[in-house]
C-alpha cells in the first residue's frame, strides 16, 4: 500500500502531498474545479493516476519527457515521490524531470 505521495508540476497537478493513507482501504478519486462546483472534467484525476504509474514504471503517454512538466508556470521541472511498504520495509521512489537547454538551444529533459 502507498504510504506517501508527493507530486509537483506533473501535467496539470501543481502540488499534491498526502501521507495519511493508513486504514483507508479502497480509495476513490474525484475532482472538482474551485470555481465550478460539480464540474470535474479536466480536473486532474487521470494525471494523478499517471503520476503514480510514472513513479513505478518511468513511463507516461507522451513522446517526450518534457511534455509532462506543467505548462504556463515558468517552472522547468516536475517530480513524483512515492513511498510504500514491502515486506515491512519502506521503499521510496523519486522521479525527476528537468528541462535543460542543449547546445543547439532547444529544450531537452533529463531524468
Amino acid at each position: 500500500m502507498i504510504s506517501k505521495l508527493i507530486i509537483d508540476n506533473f501535467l496539470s497537478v501543481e502540488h499534491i502531498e498526502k501521507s495519511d493513507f493508513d486504514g483507508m482501504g479502497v480509495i476513490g478519486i474525484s475532482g472538482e474545479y474551485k470555481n465550478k462546483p460539480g464540474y470535474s472534467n479536466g480536473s486532474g484525476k487521470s494525471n494523478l493516476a499517471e503520476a503514480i504509474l510514472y513513479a513505478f514504471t518511468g513511463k507516461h503517454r507522451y513522446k517526450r519527457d518534457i511534455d509532462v512538466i506543467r505548462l504556463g508556470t515558468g517552472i522547468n521541472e516536475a517530480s513524483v515521490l512515492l513511498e510504500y511498504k514491502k515486506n515491512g520495509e519502506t521503499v521510496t521512489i523519486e522521479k525527476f524531470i528537468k528541462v535543460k537547454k542543449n547546445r543547439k538551444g532547444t529544450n531537452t529533459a533529463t531524468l
Side-chain angles (χ1 to χ4, degrees):
M1 169 175 272
I2 294 172
S3 57
K4 183 176 187 177
L5 179 64
I6 301 173
I7 304 169
D8 284 305
N9 296 309
F10 189 91
L11 297 171
S12 67
V13 177
E14 180 178 3
H15 177 78
I16 291 176
E17 187 166 346
K18 185 77 174 157
S19 60
D20 53 350
F21 292 100
D22 291 342
M24 293 184 94
V26 176
I27 297 172
I29 300 171
S30 65
E32 186 173 278
Y33 284 99
K34 291 178 184 176
N35 298 328
K36 291 184 179 180
Y39 185 79
S40 67
N41 286 351
S43 62
K45 301 178 299 292
S46 296
N47 294 337
L48 174 64
E50 189 158 356
I52 294 168
L53 178 68
Y54 178 71
F56 280 117
T57 67
K59 297 180 181 179
H60 51 74
R61 61 187 147 150
Y62 294 94
K63 290 183 182 180
R64 304 176 311 161
D65 290 318
I66 196 171
D67 293 331
V68 301
I69 298 173
R70 194 166 158 258
L71 294 174
T73 63
I75 296 170
N76 60 356
E77 65 182 38
S79 63
V80 179
L81 181 141
L82 186 144
E83 288 183 356
Y84 66 97
K85 302 272 188 200
K86 182 176 181 180
N87 300 326
E89 298 285 326
T90 298
V91 177
T92 301
I93 301 170
E94 287 185 273
K95 301 282 185 174
F96 298 92
I97 299 173
K98 184 169 182 152
V99 174
K100 288 188 176 181
K101 295 271 185 188
N102 65 19
R103 290 181 188 173
K104 296 178 183 175
T106 57
N107 291 331
T108 59
T110 58
L111 306 176

